[in-house]
Amino acid sequence: MQRCCSVSWDGSSDPCSSPPPASPPPLNFLPSPLYPVPPSSPPSSITHHHHPQDQEKLGLAGAMVDVSKWPLLSVLSAQEQAAVRQVYIFGTSANEAIYITHANEVFAFGLNCSGCLGTGDSVSTIVPKKLDFLQGKKVVSLSYGSGPHVLLATEDGQLFAWGHNVYSQLGNNTTSAGLSPALITNNLQSKKVTEVACGSHHSLALTQDGEVFAWGYNNCGQVGSGSTTNQPYPRKVTGCLQGKAAVGITCGQTSSLALIDNGEVYGWGYNGNGQLGIGNNGNQLCPCRLATLQGVCIQQVVAGYAHCLALTDEGLLYAWGANTYGQLGTRNKSNHLSPVQIMVDKERVVEVAACHSTHTSAAKTQSGKVFMWGQCRGQSMVLPHLTHFTATDDVFACFATPSVMWRLLSVEHDDFMTASEALRKEFDSPETSDLKFSVDGKCIHVHKAVLKIRCEHFRSMFRSQWSEGQQDVIEIGQFSYPVYRSFLQFLYTDTVELPPEDAIGLLDLATSYCENQLKRLCQQIIKRGITVDNAFTLLSAAIRYDAEDLEEFCFRFCVNHLTQVTQTTAFWQVDGGMLKEFISRASRCGAFKN
């Protein structure tokens, strides 16, 4: 184990990095003196660091992101804005942008430090330039480090890199800058890259089969190779990760984290502020498990400049690391070397956000409330503060310094939303409806034309000689009012607003009516609402309705919380055959090994 000395701006030395920049950074951008910063780089960095979040629109997800909050995008014309499908804003002053159109064309504009726009030169441009090398390639993950360098993964699993490369952070076995996107293949020829993450000057890639590769600057062990020698090309991270399948990666400035499919978290690299969460502040040159999180199953982990947030599959939130600006949300500014639970008095958390260029934290709860804490517009907020926002992205647009995006952002357009809102308003409207459904003695007003357009079941009903097709009021007996009303509302809104237990009934309806998209939404609601108490009930329902993905999810949850689940009423009331099958399957997964 090797430790880094502190970086100070008075010219004192640090055995793990060269002398600091000649002049200190701006006040609001000043890293804590405890954080090591590589030489000849801006003192802070930007990165898209966490695996892409589920973009499906659930009723509980609230409104879509308002891109007008990002001033840089006002450079684009109305026509250009309408063409944007994904966008990513980065840079020391949030002054660079890459965006992807609906036609999968990639454009970039902005300051262009170290050629990080990938336009083939280092010339700044306010006019978007097309990156021809990426023509037609669908982007699934994008990340940015402070050199600056950029990593990009495409849908077909290819990895591209460009920008600053003094520490081989591009992974091309050289230290020459890359002004255009270049395909990185060293050690990755037969691999499909699904996610990328950048630290300040090091890089991570996650493959489809769960392997983590790392390369670049390694002054504190952030490459995880067991040494502090820089790594010039992608190298598989082994040690404690050997034989384990990772499902997520994230980077702090000079640290790395991997999330495993069983909910474990491993960290390596710089640990001077406890950002690895292992109970001490010694650097780790190889992956080290966060043992204090044993007993919980992590499903999302994100890293800030030198702090981390982790979300469990039960919606509990943990934080650790640096706390100079209150970014841990613990009421004070004391660092924590091990994970501490926060937001315990709040409802279930469904998403957390952090970005390794900032000391800002954000979280979204099940009902769509967005909280922020840490450094917010220069102020230190030591407790999660309820905002009026509907997305964690808005926190970074309006309060982070700099105002960068913490993830590759998918954009919805006003023209689409306008049509959606028009339909939404007419649902259950007696004034314009021409048909009523009666369920449990209550009426729901609908429009035949909408039902025919949106649902094959109703199209058949109204086109054929079904008796229901001739009626003004149709009686429904096999489904409850909340379930059937939610189904009809889905046909108008594409969203579902039901608790997980009612979503099971809607899943039954979706299966009966062959509505696959509705089936997927129900599964998402159930996944977000799973608890120890209802897990076995949900597993039984998933098996009954032949929802394979949901069944696997519920089964994994039950295995991860086996002791508690077996003590619930639902577990012992289940059919004996299913109980035997569950125990047999859990045994094959090693659930009963000591």
Side-chain angles (χ1 to χ4, degrees):
M1 184 186 302
Q2 181 176 340
R3 290 200 48 189
C4 281
C5 295
S6 302
V7 167
S8 65
W9 300 107
D10 59 3
S12 57
S13 64
D14 170 11
C16 289
S17 67
S18 300
S23 58
L27 182 59
N28 280 347
F29 227 30
L30 182 64
S32 160
L34 296 176
Y35 311 151
V37 178
S40 68
S41 68
S44 50
S45 64
I46 319 307
T47 178
H48 162 75
H49 56 276
H50 187 67
H51 57 282
Q53 303 299 308
D54 180 10
Q55 296 292 327
E56 286 192 271
K57 292 180 289 177
L58 307 179
L60 52 82
M64 300 305 288
V65 173
D66 177 8
V67 295
S68 67
K69 291 184 171 70
W70 304 90
L72 188 61
L73 297 183
S74 63
V75 167
L76 303 179
S77 68
Q79 186 176 1
E80 287 169 330
Q81 287 186 19
V84 173
R85 182 170 58 84
Q86 296 167 295
V87 60
Y88 186 53
I89 292 174
F90 55 93
T92 8
S93 301
N95 51 11
E96 281 145 332
I98 293 173
Y99 67 90
I100 301 101
T101 68
H102 291 280
N104 288 325
E105 293 179 325
V106 183
F107 291 86
F109 65 95
L111 188 58
N112 204 15
C113 293
S114 298
C116 66
L117 294 184
T119 54
D121 54 43
S122 295
V123 179
S124 300
T125 174
I126 202 166
V127 178
K129 288 187 178 180
K130 188 190 294 186
L131 305 187
D132 291 320
F133 202 84
L134 298 171
Q135 175 75 31
K137 295 185 181 294
K138 191 170 183 180
V139 178
V140 295
S141 186
L142 187 61
S143 189
Y144 175 86
S146 67
H149 74 289
V150 176
L151 300 180
L152 181 150
T154 63
E155 190 176 45
D156 57 2
Q158 292 184 312
L159 171 67
F160 292 87
W162 63 93
H164 192 265
N165 195 33
V166 169
Y167 305 100
S168 301
Q169 58 264 50
L170 298 188
N172 58 13
N173 209 19
T174 77
T175 53
S176 303
L179 298 181
S180 298
L183 185 64
I184 307 303
T185 57
N186 284 325
N187 280 347
L188 296 172
Q189 290 94 338
S190 59
K191 306 293 181 182
K192 183 175 181 180
V193 174
T194 57
E195 186 183 342
V196 291
C198 294
S200 64
H201 293 73
H202 75 286
S203 305
L204 297 183
L206 175 65
T207 67
Q208 189 175 42
D209 52 8
E211 294 178 330
V212 178
F213 287 80
W215 62 96
Y217 199 41
N218 194 33
N219 62 330
C220 299
Q222 57 265 46
V223 167
S225 60
S227 75
T228 55
T229 303
N230 292 351
Q231 176 62 34
Y233 52 84
R235 172 194 169 277
K236 184 180 173 183
V237 182
T238 54
C240 292
L241 291 187
Q242 189 68 39
K244 296 184 182 295
V247 293
I249 51 175
T250 185
C251 294
Q253 281 279 297
T254 43
S255 59
S256 306
L257 291 164
L259 175 62
I260 308 304
D261 61 357
N262 65 359
E264 295 176 349
V265 178
Y266 288 79
W268 59 96
Y270 183 67
N271 192 33
N273 304 286
Q275 53 263 65
L276 299 186
I278 57 175
N280 60 55
N281 59 3
N283 295 344
Q284 297 293 318
L285 307 185
C286 294
C288 182
R289 183 184 171 196
L290 277 71
T292 47
L293 288 177
Q294 190 163 356
V296 298
C297 183
I298 302 302
Q299 69 170 16
Q300 187 196 355
V301 60
V302 293
Y305 195 102
H307 76 287
C308 294
L309 304 172
L311 179 63
T312 77
D313 59 355
E314 294 185 279
L316 308 178
L317 181 55
Y318 290 85
W320 64 92
N323 201 22
T324 311
Y325 302 93
Q327 58 264 49
L328 299 187
T330 56
R331 291 182 178 271
N332 57 50
K333 295 184 179 181
S334 301
N335 292 359
H336 280 269
L337 305 182
S338 297
V340 56
Q341 192 179 343
I342 61 170
M343 288 184 66
V344 290
D345 58 334
K346 305 291 191 294
E347 64 181 348
R348 186 185 186 118
V349 176
V350 297
E351 179 181 272
V352 288
C355 173
H356 96 282
S357 63
T358 74
H359 311 288
T360 305
S361 302
K364 186 173 184 175
T365 66
Q366 191 162 27
S367 66
K369 294 176 182 174
V370 174
F371 292 82
M372 68 180 183
W373 62 99
Q375 189 184 41
C376 299
R377 285 269 178 172
Q379 294 188 63
S380 294
M381 301 176 64
V382 298
L383 271 178
H385 173 78
L386 178 61
T387 70
H388 64 277
F389 299 134
T390 56
T392 55
D393 308 272
D394 294 343
V395 171
F396 288 82
C398 300
F399 281 91
T401 305
S403 296
V404 295
M405 290 180 175
W406 74 276
R407 60 177 167 186
L408 181 62
L409 191 60
S410 292
V411 179
E412 288 289 348
H413 298 295
D414 285 341
D415 55 349
F416 170 80
M417 294 301 289
T418 301
S420 172
E421 285 301 320
L423 270 180
R424 186 185 300 267
K425 288 177 185 174
E426 292 307 313
F427 172 67
D428 204 10
S429 168
E431 290 80 13
T432 59
S433 72
D434 55 4
L435 178 66
K436 290 187 284 190
F437 284 92
S438 178
V439 191
D440 297 339
K442 303 175 188 173
C443 276
I444 309 166
H445 299 81
V446 293
H447 308 76
K448 285 185 180 180
V450 173
L451 301 192
K452 282 194 287 187
I453 290 168
R454 293 283 287 148
C455 178
E456 181 62 37
H457 172 82
F458 291 121
R459 194 152 45 244
S460 300
M461 177 189 291
F462 297 134
R463 280 179 179 169
S464 68
Q465 299 305 309
W466 290 15
S467 59
E468 291 93 338
Q470 317 305 317
Q471 299 170 4
D472 294 327
V473 180
I474 298 176
E475 296 276 348
I476 299 294
Q478 65 269 45
F479 301 106
S480 70
Y481 174 78
V483 164
Y484 211 79
R485 189 180 195 280
S486 186
F487 163 58
L488 294 174
Q489 189 171 21
F490 163 76
L491 299 180
Y492 283 74
T493 66
D494 284 327
T495 63
V496 174
E497 298 174 0
L498 277 179
E501 290 72 18
D502 284 339
I504 293 177
L506 188 57
L507 180 61
D508 183 19
L509 184 153
T511 305
S512 300
Y513 285 16
C514 300
E515 287 289 331
N516 291 329
Q517 174 63 10
L518 180 57
K519 200 171 171 181
R520 283 193 290 270
L521 287 179
C522 290
Q523 292 183 40
Q524 285 296 327
I525 290 172
I526 294 169
K527 285 180 179 182
R528 290 187 176 186
I530 194 168
T531 65
V532 165
D533 290 328
N534 67 17
F536 214 76
T537 302
L538 299 180
L539 174 61
S540 303
I543 293 171
R544 190 160 64 251
Y545 301 134
D546 196 29
E548 293 180 9
D549 179 57
L550 180 61
E551 178 187 342
E552 178 64 22
F553 177 87
C554 294
F555 172 77
R556 286 288 168 193
F557 185 95
C558 289
V559 169
N560 288 332
H561 302 273
L562 191 58
T563 301
Q564 294 162 287
V565 168
T566 56
Q567 294 170 359
T568 62
T569 306
F571 183 82
W572 294 109
Q573 288 181 343
V574 78
D575 167 72
M578 186 196 157
L579 190 59
K580 286 180 182 177
E581 173 58 27
F582 172 79
I583 292 172
S584 172
R585 185 177 171 190
S587 178
R588 291 195 299 272
C589 288
F592 303 112
K593 292 180 182 177
N594 290 327

